[in-house]
Amino acid sequence: MTVAILAVVTVTVCLAACMQASIGFGMGMLAAPVVALVAPELLPGTLIASASVVTLMVVVKEREALDLRGTGWALVGRIPGTIAGALLLVWLPERGLALMLAGVVLGGVVLAALGWQPRPRRRALATAGAASGLLGTATSIGGPPMALVMSGSTGERSDGAF
């Protein structure tokens, strides 16, 4: 890896971490596409590790505002989704993962542009958690499914539609 590529990855991950900490997503939406283009061998491990550290820091700082009920339902789906994502890492070649990453980003943009916004209820949260686990593990972009479900919520907590 050249110094230029390392610099691009470092700056991108730093900016994405700031975005992740401030609005709740960014590592997958900003860093993953850039890293996929310049250093695909770093996916998904580097971004998963970075996002985990940022998430832990935000959880500690914002612990009073945690939505444990919504998080619990998302985790119900996240665990099997993560296992499925790990299996995809084993079965899909690097090129297939890059195409999957591009498809996830474009799919999320299309759904959001069409105005699709599921309510954050148990089933939607568990389904988004599963999709987030699968995509996050396989491509480092686990945020879009959760962002779509939670996009209509206000404030730090969901709208209580559980």
Side-chain angles (χ1 to χ4, degrees):
M1 180 180 310
T2 67
V3 173
I5 289 175
L6 184 60
V8 167
V9 169
T10 301
V11 169
T12 303
V13 169
C14 182
L15 292 172
C18 292
M19 190 172 150
Q20 179 91 20
S22 66
I23 63 173
F25 61 92
M27 197 64 73
M29 298 299 280
L30 176 62
V34 173
V35 173
L37 289 173
V38 299
E41 67 276 7
L42 296 178
L43 291 177
T46 301
L47 297 187
I48 291 172
S50 300
S52 297
V53 171
V54 171
T55 301
L56 180 61
M57 291 168 53
V58 170
V59 165
V60 170
K61 183 180 179 298
E62 302 288 338
R63 61 189 166 276
E64 289 86 25
L66 291 178
D67 177 4
L68 296 178
R69 286 177 51 189
T71 302
W73 285 109
L75 285 174
V76 164
R78 178 86 186 197
I79 293 167
T82 299
I83 293 167
L87 292 173
L88 276 179
L89 281 174
V90 172
W91 291 333
L92 281 179
E94 190 175 294
R95 178 81 173 143
L97 289 173
L99 290 172
M100 184 178 180
L101 183 135
V104 167
V105 171
L106 291 174
V109 168
V110 167
L111 288 173
L114 293 174
W116 184 67
Q117 185 178 359
R119 296 198 22 94
R121 299 198 184 276
R122 290 179 183 127
R123 181 180 293 157
L125 285 165
T127 302
S132 178
L134 185 141
L135 297 171
T137 303
T139 68
S140 302
I141 298 185
M146 293 304 300
L148 279 172
V149 171
M150 300 306 291
S151 64
S153 299
T154 58
E156 296 165 331
R157 295 177 183 251
S158 69
D159 63 3
F162 305 101

